[in-house]
Amino acid sequence: MSLYFTEEHNFFRKSFRDFLQKEVTPHINKWEETGHIERFIWEKFGDMGYFGINYPEQYGGMDLDLFYTVIFLEELQRVNSGGFAAAMWAHAYLAMTHLNKEGNDAQKQKYLAPSITGEKIGCLCVTEPFGGSDVGGMRTTAVKQGDSYIINGSKTFITNGVYSDYLIVAAKTSPELGNKGISIFVMDRDVPGISATKLDKLGWRASDTGEIAFDNVEIPAANLMGEEDMGFPYIMQHFALERLIMGINAHARSEWALDYTIQYMKDRVCFGRPISQFQALRHKIADLAADLDLCKTYNYATTKRLNDGEYVVKEATISKLTSTKMADQLAYDCVQLLGGYGYMEEYPLARNLRDSRLGPIGGGTSEILREIIAKMVMDGKNYKPAT
Ligand SMILES: Cc1cc2nc3c(=O)[nH]c(=O)nc-3n(C[C@H](O)[C@H](O)[C@H](O)COP(=O)(O)OP(=O)(O)OC[C@H]3O[C@@H](n4cnc5c(N)ncnc54)[C@H](O)[C@@H]3O)c2cc1C
């Protein structure tokens, strides 16, 4: 892939891979069991600069191109813990993207800079219990009172929702305006009135997914991010990056699973031969590899366009829709190729299968993504960035 990656990129990949192997892999099973990623690793990521890849030098970042982010995401998937990877990228690319794009200098000094060093962990709170797909239908309100906003409502399924230090929260400042009345706020976790409950879930088990309640939470008016009532366009605008991230995660997770499966097939003997020699299975691998390669190539091309400044709504939507579908199928088929061992916790593909299932759900379900694509290709709808 020299079309996109330079020697510097390759060097970064190697050093990040070594770091993950040394500092993360030995702890993964424990974090998968407890659902709690210990603080020291956030700080180590911060010390190494990994949270600052994409952010301005002014706040301690490295301001590197998006292919470093691709490497960051791909290598995280090779650890084979969707939950660990999600905790890291939700902090670095959901919460921090809003801070970087909508935050003012004071907000960036207070939240973005310590996010880059790993001292503060963030989460992004959009989804609500009454319906996640209909973002415009959210019910959480933010009412202005003098120099404060009073927040009431609830959020659910929030990654880093329990152990993070600050929250980026979408709430309605003008409920009568529907999706044109949403604003974005940043707030500390310890503000009175904020409480969080940890949810149990099928996969992504290392990450804390939280349901969060806001009961008369008073925050300074200065915690409004960007312009009042512009929250919906801000959220939609960042979906381009978020959905491409989920597409990249999907191809990377699949590549790792496929490599593992091919090696397993070479070692596993049935009827006196390695199962890698059975033609039916070889053709299965060929199909999986072909679908995977198409997704990966498409995701890199979309990354290049986004990096060059294009607003790639349709492409990022296609990336997530297609790559997560491919990854789900591949995870399912690879378990099959391992036979009973595929179903065992002692083997890594069981976790891969359950982590993969979140792909077509989180960050916009496949049904919602098809709606967006249909509007663009059938109705000529054109989406423009908010800023
Ligand atoms: C582990 C995990 C982590 C998450 N992390 C975060 C996070 O950090 N921050 C955050 O804000 N959210 C997060 N989410 C929420 C996620 O984005 C939502 O779950 C998702 O957007 C779907 O919303 P919902 O679960 O309320 O489903 P619903 O909106 O209730 O949808 C239910 C079903 O109906 C379908 N559907 C709904 N509307 C339509 C329609 N118009 N046409 C056709 N089908 C439709 C959906 O596709 C789905 O199949 C996370 C979710 C999970 C499970």
Side-chain angles (χ1 to χ4, degrees), residues 303-320:
T303 303
K304 173 85 172 73
R305 290 172 63 180
L306 184 61
N307 191 56
D308 291 349
E310 274 187 64
Y311 189 49
V312 289
V313 177
K314 188 174 83 183
E315 294 75 10
T317 311
I318 292 173
S319 158
K320 179 176 185 291

Side-chain angles (χ1 to χ4, degrees), residues 1 251 254-255 258 285-301 323 326 330:
M1 282 296 174
H251 84 229
S254 301
E255 196 161 48
L258 192 62
I285 293 290
D287 283 343
L288 294 175
D291 289 345
L292 166 56
D293 205 44
L294 281 174
C295 288
K296 183 174 164 178
T297 307
Y298 185 84
N299 293 342
Y300 285 168
S323 303
M326 175 279 298
L330 186 141

Side-chain angles (χ1 to χ4, degrees), residues 90 94 124-134 156-160 201 204 207 209 358 361-368 371:
L94 300 189
L124 176 64
C125 309
V126 176
T127 303
E128 300 200 350
F130 307 103
S133 300
D134 182 10
T156 197
F157 304 148
I158 306 305
T159 303
N160 298 336
K201 56 194 187 299
W204 278 26
S207 93
T209 305
L358 201 260
I361 298 172
T365 65
S366 294
E367 291 76 16
I368 294 299
E371 278 297 302

Side-chain angles (χ1 to χ4, degrees), residues 258 261-262 264-266 268-271 273-289 333-334 336-339:
L258 192 62
T261 304
I262 291 171
Y264 177 89
M265 290 168 68
K266 288 179 180 170
R268 178 71 175 172
V269 174
C270 286
F271 298 94
R273 283 196 289 168
I275 61 170
S276 58
Q277 290 181 11
F278 294 126
Q279 191 179 42
L281 306 191
R282 296 175 69 82
H283 285 191
K284 170 58 75 188
I285 293 290
D287 283 343
L288 294 175
D333 287 341
C334 286
Q336 185 72 18
L337 288 164
L338 261 70

